[in-house]
Amino acid sequence: MGPWRYLFGLCWFLQVHFARSAVPLLANSDFFSLNPTQTTITLERPFCMFKDAIDVYLFAIVKGATNIQVADAAKKVIASNYTGTQGGLLGPYQVAKLDNPKCENIQASNIMADPNKYIVRVGGDVNCLTDPNFKGICNPPLQNNLQYRFTYVFTIGDVVQYQTDWSPPISTVNVKSSGTIDTWPGRRSGGMIVLTSILSTLMFFVFFAYIVGFAYSILNGSQTKEVSRHDTQTTAVLQKAQEPGDITYSSTLAGSERYAATQQA
């Protein structure tokens, strides 16, 4: 039994070593492209790390916090929360308590069918801080543009058995102020935009006045042309050969008044 005892001890040591060298990882970008967001960070669940653990705690901490203890002297999990640690600024807080995931062959079809079975969304609870009747671990939205670190703690009866290393810092997305967003393609200043708007408005009024003036000139010209037309018509009169004493008329004007032509000698 001696060699088997040493072999068992070596396997236990390797399990602890590799588990502690493992860290919480960001969820696969093929399935969760918007990760991190301004208020959430989505992590993969710890599959196939410790088979003999019952529960898994996920702790979060803000980068730079000096207190990183997740267990007390008796190795019991510290029941720290988001409010008591000022959102991870003073130390780690509990994000979630999970059943220890069993080893399984994770396929894309499984993830698409039930993605929450394979991930933990840090910052996914928007009501726990404001709901006075909320009970349990509070996992409120994270602060934007802030770096967080995470660790998985494996327990039996809240007694720590194993703990992964803390993850590298993962930053949430920065939120831009509405006043700093440049919505003008040419990157003009605010005064330039106002001036352009005023000039555009004036150009509209000038164009409108031009259209009105053009239409008025057309209508006025049409009325003048109608007034200048004659109501009389000229009827040609065939001239016969002149004989002495005959009176000839060069034309006859038909209308309301008739004018005799001058008598030819």
Side-chain angles (χ1 to χ4, degrees), residues 5 95 116 160 195 249:
R5 181 182 303 175
V95 173
N116 292 325
V160 177
L195 180 59
Y249 300 88

Side-chain angles (χ1 to χ4, degrees), residues 121-201:
R121 193 181 303 278
V122 184
D125 191 344
V126 297
N127 298 318
C128 65
L129 289 180
T130 58
D131 184 1
N133 299 320
F134 181 83
K135 296 180 180 180
I137 298 176
C138 185
N139 179 25
L142 303 175
Q143 299 183 45
N144 68 86
N145 195 30
L146 195 62
Q147 292 183 325
Y148 292 86
R149 301 176 67 190
F150 306 95
T151 184
Y152 281 120
V153 179
F154 297 79
T155 66
I156 297 178
D158 286 346
V159 177
V160 177
Q161 304 296 314
Y162 314 101
Q163 178 186 350
T164 66
D165 288 340
W166 287 94
S167 68
I170 303 174
S171 179
T172 52
V173 177
N174 186 22
V175 179
K176 289 186 177 182
S177 173
S178 59
T180 62
I181 299 176
D182 186 3
T183 58
W184 187 258
R187 297 185 180 276
R188 303 294 191 268
S189 64
M192 197 65 179
I193 295 175
V194 173
L195 180 59
T196 303
S197 301
I198 294 175
L199 292 177
S200 300
T201 304

Side-chain angles (χ1 to χ4, degrees), residues 89 119 121 176 180 218 225 240 251 255:
L89 290 172
I119 57 95
R121 193 181 303 278
K176 289 186 177 182
T180 62
I218 292 178
K225 186 175 180 180
K240 61 181 180 179
S251 64

Side-chain angles (χ1 to χ4, degrees), residues 10-264:
L10 177 62
C11 292
W12 179 87
F13 173 79
L14 291 176
Q15 182 185 26
V16 173
H17 172 74
F18 286 118
R20 289 183 175 175
S21 63
V23 296
L25 301 175
L26 282 173
N28 193 326
S29 59
D30 292 339
F31 304 101
F32 306 93
S33 57
L34 298 178
N35 183 38
T37 66
Q38 297 172 357
T39 58
T40 63
I41 296 175
T42 303
L43 304 174
E44 293 182 354
R45 292 201 181 206
F47 283 90
C48 298
M49 285 191 179
F50 300 105
K51 297 180 181 179
D52 54 347
I54 298 176
D55 298 315
V56 182
Y57 287 88
L58 173 62
F59 281 84
I61 192 173
V62 175
K63 177 188 176 183
T66 56
N67 177 23
I68 61 173
Q69 299 299 318
V70 297
D72 57 18
K75 298 187 66 176
K76 292 206 67 173
V77 173
I78 297 176
S80 55
N81 55 49
Y82 182 91
T83 304
T85 61
Q86 295 184 14
L89 290 172
L90 302 180
Y93 69 94
Q94 293 182 7
V95 173
K97 181 180 179 181
L98 317 168
D99 294 333
N100 188 21
K102 298 180 180 180
C103 291
E104 63 178 80
N105 183 18
I106 302 175
Q107 299 178 353
S109 58
N110 297 338
I111 297 177
M112 296 301 295
D114 187 9
N116 292 325
K117 182 180 178 181
Y118 301 96
I119 57 95
V120 180
R121 193 181 303 278
V122 184
D125 191 344
V126 297
N127 298 318
C128 65
L129 289 180
T130 58
D131 184 1
N133 299 320
F134 181 83
K135 296 180 180 180
I137 298 176
C138 185
N139 179 25
L142 303 175
Q143 299 183 45
N144 68 86
N145 195 30
L146 195 62
Q147 292 183 325
Y148 292 86
R149 301 176 67 190
F150 306 95
T151 184
Y152 281 120
V153 179
F154 297 79
T155 66
I156 297 178
D158 286 346
V159 177
V160 177
Q161 304 296 314
Y162 314 101
Q163 178 186 350
T164 66
D165 288 340
W166 287 94
S167 68
I170 303 174
S171 179
T172 52
V173 177
N174 186 22
V175 179
K176 289 186 177 182
S177 173
S178 59
T180 62
I181 299 176
D182 186 3
T183 58
W184 187 258
R187 297 185 180 276
R188 303 294 191 268
S189 64
M192 197 65 179
I193 295 175
V194 173
L195 180 59
T196 303
S197 301
I198 294 175
L199 292 177
S200 300
T201 304
L202 291 177
M203 180 63 70
F204 169 78
F205 283 115
V206 170
F207 180 74
F208 180 75
Y210 173 77
I211 295 297
V212 172
F214 182 73
Y216 177 78
S217 63
I218 292 178
L219 294 176
N220 189 43
S222 176
Q223 292 177 359
T224 304
K225 186 175 180 180
E226 288 292 332
V227 172
S228 63
R229 291 177 56 186
H230 294 284
D231 292 333
T232 60
Q233 297 180 354
T234 303
T235 303
V237 178
L238 295 179
Q239 297 181 357
K240 61 181 180 179
Q242 293 184 0
E243 295 181 358
D246 291 340
I247 299 175
T248 61
Y249 300 88
S250 59
S251 64
T252 302
L253 300 178
S256 59
E257 295 182 1
R258 296 187 178 182
Y259 300 90
T262 56
Q263 184 177 356
Q264 297 182 1

